[in-house]
Amino acid sequence: MIKAVMVMNTQGKPRLAKFFDYLPVEKQQELIRRVFGVLCSRPENVSNFIEAESIFGPDSRLVYNHFATLYFVVVFDSSENQLAMLDLIQLLGQQTLERCFKNVCELDIVFNYSKIHTILDEIILGGQVLETRSTEIMRAVEEISKLEAATNAISFIPKSASSWLSR
């Protein structure tokens, strides 16, 4: 099971953090700080796989990838394949977000927070991987965006009342 997905910049500021087990916010912040402490102290020429039992408890592993100024991190247990989790980061970080934003950067994640969560929800739900095809993920996200746009276009005030209010 996937325990958490995090995206943080090289200064340690979390840009996306989704935990699939309930944890109080203070505990989440502490875990993010500890993960960043481990990541920033690792040389670039070492493995992207880390035993995370000291941070997340027994049977926890962490895989990360560093794209530009962002760390993409997935925390999971032994029931998940490590290479599959690295591939999941590739799917999220390079394939899907690149399709969505063209040259994704930190500001894309900050200013499109709800869209990023929608993408993540299409990939992972309740700690289980649902979809791994980037085209299907983008199709679902586009459908959701169309529905949101249609919902926002609905006027809740009848035209007769709105003309009366403008007097």
Side-chain angles (χ1 to χ4, degrees), residues 27-86:
K27 180 71 172 170
Q28 290 179 12
Q29 291 172 345
E30 176 192 338
L31 292 172
I32 292 168
R33 278 193 298 273
R34 291 179 68 190
V35 166
F36 178 72
V38 169
L39 296 181
C40 70
S41 67
R42 289 177 65 86
E44 288 188 29
N45 61 346
V46 297
S47 170
N48 291 10
F49 303 100
I50 301 171
E51 292 293 326
E53 292 180 352
S54 64
I55 301 171
F56 286 93
D59 194 35
S60 295
R61 298 177 182 161
L62 180 146
V63 63
Y64 70 96
N65 211 340
H66 187 200
F67 300 120
T69 62
L70 296 170
Y71 286 107
F72 287 79
V73 181
V74 176
V75 181
F76 56 96
D77 62 21
S78 63
S79 68
E80 300 288 347
N81 182 304
Q82 292 181 349
L83 292 175
M85 294 299 104
L86 188 60

Side-chain angles (χ1 to χ4, degrees), residues 85-156:
M85 294 299 104
L86 188 60
D87 193 43
L88 192 67
I89 290 174
Q90 186 79 12
L91 172 71
L92 176 65
Q94 285 193 318
Q95 293 175 10
T96 308
L97 292 181
E98 283 295 322
R99 275 185 164 189
C100 198
F101 299 114
K102 309 285 186 243
N103 293 325
V104 66
C105 68
E106 186 175 347
L107 290 176
D108 290 325
I109 294 173
V110 170
F111 291 120
N112 296 290
Y113 192 75
S114 63
K115 191 168 194 173
I116 302 296
H117 269 279
T118 302
I119 291 169
L120 189 58
D121 288 343
E122 287 298 319
I123 298 172
I124 303 168
L125 183 67
Q128 300 296 321
V129 177
L130 292 179
E131 184 61 66
T132 58
R133 293 174 296 177
S134 183
T135 54
E136 288 299 312
I137 294 165
M138 288 309 300
R139 184 187 58 73
V141 169
E142 287 168 6
E143 285 179 20
I144 291 169
S145 295
K146 286 178 187 176
L147 287 172
E148 287 175 347
T151 303
N152 291 338
I154 297 173
S155 175
F156 293 107

Side-chain angles (χ1 to χ4, degrees), residues 3-37:
K3 296 181 177 187
V5 175
M6 295 177 249
V7 178
M8 60 186 79
N9 68 13
T10 52
Q11 285 81 41
K13 293 192 184 291
R15 297 305 181 195
L16 170 72
K18 185 155 189 163
F19 290 84
F20 295 101
D21 289 332
Y22 172 76
L23 294 171
V25 175
E26 297 81 19
K27 180 71 172 170
Q28 290 179 12
Q29 291 172 345
E30 176 192 338
L31 292 172
I32 292 168
R33 278 193 298 273
R34 291 179 68 190
V35 166
F36 178 72

